[in-house]
């Protein structure tokens, strides 16, 4: 059972720390998608909630509208620490209202989601020049999705949404992230989505100490055969070259197949134009 409440904020905008974006908008606090690896979970300590992350959702309210003079031609991302198309968005339409304001402001809009609900706002995206919608995929295995990302749209629904967006002329991207060693099949992510995707990004599984126990318990329970690999990568003092090699492998494949891709791990952030 999820607790839903409203929380007043002074502004919906946050200055972006993500390269390439001026502002980030997180319309909600919390995320009912409940991904086992959720990096946004640290937000809970700022909320005063006793519930677990994923068991509460605060809907932000703000009396001050987004200002065109501030946002004109800026790059705005929705969202970084919540999914702007969580199931409650269907009822509350907060993301939709904010996108309508961003159209008035003539901001450039970039959406990052794991939900096919994003298709509801296709009519709005078509009014925004250069608008891009990105889907995250850790895997194309729907069993993994059910275990690790229980609230997220099915793999086939995400692929169909990409298809619809692409057909409608919206720029699309896939973030292959986070990649689970020995579990995520990055080549399958590309192969199953390539006809409908303009560019790819890939990121590693981040094992900050706060998440490590939970993620390793997940792996031990559902994918025990991969545990030795996780031990090598995450638990040894000697750094491993696993990510370096994986990044090179992905970029080499993308170069060979003329696929536009970035890899956000390994020795450097790399790029292959396609
Ligand atoms: S969709 Fe994103 S914000 Fe929501 S639980 Fe999953 S990782 Fe966290």
């Amino acid at each position: 059972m999820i607790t839903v409440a409203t929380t007043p904020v002074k502004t919906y905008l946050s200055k972006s720390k993500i390269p390439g974006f001026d502002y980030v908008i997180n319309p909600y606090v919390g995320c009912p998608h409940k991904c086992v690896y959720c990096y946004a979970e640290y937000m809970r300590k700022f909320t005063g909630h006793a519930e677990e992350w994923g068991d509460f959702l605060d809907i932000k309210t703000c009396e001050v509208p987004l200002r065109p003079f501030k946002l004109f031609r800026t790059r705005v991302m929705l969202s970084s620490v919540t999914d702007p198309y969580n199931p409650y968005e269907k009822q509350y339409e907060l993301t939709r209202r904010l996108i309508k304001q961003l159209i008035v402001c003539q901001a450039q809009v970039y959406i990052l989601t794991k939900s096919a609900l994003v298709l509801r706002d296709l009519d709005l995206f078509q009014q925004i020049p250069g608008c891009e919608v990105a889907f995250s995929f850790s895997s194309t295995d729907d069993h993994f999705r059910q275990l690790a990302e229980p609230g997220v749209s099915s793999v086939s629904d995400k692929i169909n949404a990409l298809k619809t967006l692409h057909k409608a002329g919206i720029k699309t991207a896939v973030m292959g992230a986070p990649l689970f060693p020995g579990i995520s099949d990055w080549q399958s992510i590309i192969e199953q989505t390539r006809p409908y995707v303009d560019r790819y990004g890939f990121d590693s599984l981040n094992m900050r100490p706060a998440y490590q126990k939970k993620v390793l318990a997940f792996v031990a329970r559902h994918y025990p055969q991969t545990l030795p690999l996780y031990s090598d990568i995450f638990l040894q003092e000697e750094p491993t070259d696993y990510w370096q090699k994986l990044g090179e492998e992905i970029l080499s494949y993308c170069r060979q197949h003329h696929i536009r891709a970035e890899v956000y791990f390994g020795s450097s952030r790399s790029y292959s134009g396609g």
Side-chain angles (χ1 to χ4, degrees), residues 190 194 197-200 250-262 270-274:
I190 295 176
R194 194 179 165 191
V197 172
D198 298 301
R199 69 180 185 94
Y200 290 85
I250 293 173
L251 285 174
S252 160
Y253 177 92
C254 291
R255 268 189 216 105
Q256 209 180 328
H257 293 85
H258 308 289
I259 294 165
R260 197 177 155 206
E262 283 177 279
S270 312
Y271 171 75
S272 159

Side-chain angles (χ1 to χ4, degrees), residues 31 33-35 37-38 81-83 114:
C31 185
H33 284 169
K34 294 190 114 171
C35 303
Y37 52 78
C38 183
V81 288
T82 190
D83 194 315
K114 293 176 182 166

Side-chain angles (χ1 to χ4, degrees), residues 98-257:
L98 288 164
I99 293 173
K100 282 183 179 170
Q101 290 187 42
L102 290 168
I103 292 173
V104 174
C105 296
Q106 296 184 49
Q108 293 174 23
V109 177
Y110 174 94
I111 306 288
L112 179 59
T113 184
K114 293 176 182 166
S115 169
L117 178 59
V118 71
L119 286 181
R120 182 201 63 191
D121 291 343
L122 179 54
D123 61 320
L124 301 183
F125 305 146
Q126 287 175 314
Q127 298 171 48
I128 306 171
C131 177
E132 183 181 78
V133 177
F135 274 91
S136 302
F137 285 77
S138 285
S139 169
T140 50
D141 174 6
D142 211 48
H143 181 60
F144 173 86
R145 195 271 309 166
Q146 283 169 346
L147 294 172
E149 306 161 329
V152 166
S153 291
S154 69
V155 171
S156 58
D157 281 354
K158 288 197 292 182
I159 294 174
N160 284 332
L162 280 167
K163 210 182 283 187
T164 303
L165 291 159
H166 182 75
K167 217 167 154 190
I170 304 300
K171 281 205 289 178
T172 54
V174 160
M175 293 300 126
L179 293 176
F180 274 66
I183 301 171
S184 302
D185 181 346
W186 59 267
Q187 204 166 314
S188 169
I189 294 172
I190 295 176
E191 282 167 0
Q192 293 201 36
T193 57
R194 194 179 165 191
Y196 330 111
V197 172
D198 298 301
R199 69 180 185 94
Y200 290 85
F202 292 92
D203 210 350
S204 57
L205 177 63
N206 186 331
M207 280 286 217
R208 285 189 198 139
Y211 317 122
Q212 186 164 292
K213 208 170 153 196
K214 191 173 161 192
V215 175
L216 285 180
F218 168 84
V219 171
R221 180 162 178 213
H222 299 289
Y223 300 90
Q225 70 283 9
T226 63
L227 266 183
L229 178 61
Y230 281 74
S231 169
D232 283 353
I233 298 171
F234 299 110
L235 301 178
Q236 307 303 321
E237 280 183 19
E238 280 292 304
T240 160
D241 60 358
Y242 176 85
W243 296 113
Q244 180 66 25
K245 282 189 172 158
L246 183 66
E248 285 165 10
E249 200 184 323
I250 293 173
L251 285 174
S252 160
Y253 177 92
C254 291
R255 268 189 216 105
Q256 209 180 328
H257 293 85

